[in-house]
Amino acid sequence: MTTVLVADDQPLQRLGFRMLLESQDDMTVLGEAANGTEAIRMTAELHPDVVLMDVRMPGLDGIEATRRITATGDRTRVLILTTFDLDEYAYSGLRAGASGFLVKDAQPEELLAGIRAVSTGDAVVAPSLTRRLLDAYVHHLPAKTPTDGPEPTPLDARLTALTDREREILTVIGKGWTNTEIAARLHLAESTVKTHVGRVLAKTGSRDRIQAVILAYDTGLVRPS
Amino acid sequence: MTTVLVADDQPLQRLGFRMLLESQDDMTVLGEAANGTEAIRMTAELHPDVVLMDVRMPGLDGIEATRRITATGDRTRVLILTTFDLDEYAYSGLRAGASGFLVKDAQPEELLAGIRAVSTGDAVVAPSLTRRLLDAYVHHLPAKTPTDGPEPTPLDARLTALTDREREILTVIGKGWTNTEIAARLHLAESTVKTHVGRVLAKTGSRDRIQAVILAYDTGLVRPS
DNA sequence: AGCGATGTCGTACCCGGGTACTACGGTGGC
DNA sequence: GCCACCGTAGTACCCGGGTACGACATCGCT
């Protein structure tokens, strides 16, 4: 059963979503939020699998709400919806940690498929956006461009939020050390290690140390031996 | 009207495919096969335009069935489906004469588009595979004419001790999947997953799945995303 | 026909990992 | 002087991971 929180300032729109989702026997709507602040509070309270997040809302908008929700390291995934396929929303939304970005005029089936996808950890992007998103992405990727070479460590944005100590912890996590080993070799109490690890997971949006290991490799913080 | 034969050992999966295909007014399902042998027999009998072929089936598997079907010189095209984007399957599948190779968790639209494509003689490959497939191809281009060397196994010695299934398990461990997720996506009991994981750890000399993740990355079994 | 390898599923048990708190000393900035 | 941040440490609790069994079906090989 996928639990969903609907965040949209339009009551009628919320009702539409609720009707659609409740018609599915594998989905249930935990609640409705009318703005970003409510969405954050209700997410912390109800822990839905997925938050259906409208971009335009009075007060705290959907992008900022997404950023704060994903920053908690909670298991909740955010699927952003907007009326228009404006690029800047998509970019900032996905950078804010959203698992997906769809346009509101999509087919109901697309929306449902999108919710199911993000609930299992996958990501979805509206087809109308995919191409432009990919273009922008690959424009940032290539190491084979002869122009700019001085990029040894383009670390993931998620790593910049870490303190030095936390990055150190992430490094040894990436080496496969257990909490006990970390405590022994760094002359710390195991409880302290747990505190650090917990903060690293929260800040990087990793659900467990395995995800953190993968992140360490993907960002190059730890290199294959 | 495109006629399709569905070959998959999972009744539920077959039902899903049938529902999807029958909902299209330009497609119809001629029949369902639960293993490779049945698929071959029913293909010879019904002459479908396309066979939707699962890789993993009891008895004769999808790859071998594909080989025998395409060897008949019949007009029937084979579109291979698998749960994972495992390279060896793709290689051997396409070498077996398949017209396409898609992953099961693709969007229904992708699947439908794929069926229509192969029915008209085109070929389709899952986006997640395209890159590696191209890499492999260009790697085969320079001066090498390998007739018997389809197995690029520079893998760590510890990996050779694993069975195919166990290597699959290690791959998804490397992707950070939990046992519960593995069970769900591979249609296995969690106890079975635990058994596999335990054997993988024992054979690779890993004390826990974190070490296994590291091994998967170090050997290149899983590549940084 | 028998046998080993492989894949599947189950139960029972223990332990490390992760969370949710609280707490306190040091340090640097304003 | 105060406060935000950081690093340290503790307790209590729950759950997923890993281990150790046993069991059964299929398949390939001899």
Side-chain angles (χ1 to χ4, degrees), chain B residues 21-68:
Chain B
L21 301 189
E22 293 289 4
S23 75
Q24 304 296 305
D25 51 8
D26 65 333
M27 294 186 185
T28 186
V29 176
L30 289 189
E32 303 179 6
N35 57 56
T37 311
E38 274 190 29
I40 296 172
R41 183 177 52 76
M42 295 181 72
T43 298
E45 191 177 307
L46 304 170
H47 300 288
D49 296 323
V50 179
V51 179
L52 224 50
M53 181 81 76
D54 186 27
V55 170
R56 157 169 297 281
M57 285 187 294
L60 202 68
D61 70 27
I63 303 293
E64 184 56 31
T66 299
R67 189 170 292 115
R68 302 199 189 172

Side-chain angles (χ1 to χ4, degrees), chain A residues 2 31-32 34 55 74 81 97 102 125 130-131 135 138 146-147 159 173 179 182 220:
Chain A
T2 304
E32 303 180 4
V55 171
D74 205 0
L81 294 176
L102 293 179
V125 174
T130 305
R131 167 161 292 279
D135 288 347
V138 296
T147 53
L159 298 189
I173 290 177
N179 288 343
I182 297 175

Side-chain angles (χ1 to χ4, degrees), chain A residues 178-179 194 197-198 201 208-209:
Chain A
T178 65
N179 288 343
K194 282 194 173 187
V197 171
L201 298 186
D208 53 34
R209 68 199 297 118

Side-chain angles (χ1 to χ4, degrees), chain A residues 131-147:
Chain A
R131 167 161 292 279
R132 276 179 288 176
L133 216 53
L134 283 183
D135 288 347
Y137 215 51
V138 296
H139 188 268
H140 275 290
L141 283 181
K144 46 184 171 184
T145 48
T147 53

Side-chain angles (χ1 to χ4, degrees), chain A residues 97-120:
Chain A
S99 295
F101 199 97
L102 293 179
V103 290
K104 280 189 181 175
D105 62 353
Q107 297 299 314
E109 292 75 24
E110 284 186 58
L111 179 60
L112 294 173
I115 292 175
R116 296 194 178 93
V118 301
S119 74
T120 61

Side-chain angles (χ1 to χ4, degrees), chain A residues 120-184:
Chain A
T120 61
D122 288 338
V124 291
V125 174
S128 57
L129 290 175
T130 305
R131 167 161 292 279
R132 276 179 288 176
L133 216 53
L134 283 183
D135 288 347
Y137 215 51
V138 296
H139 188 268
H140 275 290
L141 283 181
K144 46 184 171 184
T145 48
T147 53
D148 50 351
E151 286 299 321
T153 35
L155 289 184
D156 191 282
R158 280 177 289 177
L159 298 189
T160 61
L162 301 178
T163 67
D164 291 343
R165 192 56 155 171
E166 286 161 357
R167 204 172 296 110
E168 197 179 341
I169 297 292
L170 177 54
T171 304
V172 295
I173 290 177
K175 289 180 179 175
W177 297 12
T178 65
N179 288 343
T180 310
E181 289 172 345
I182 297 175

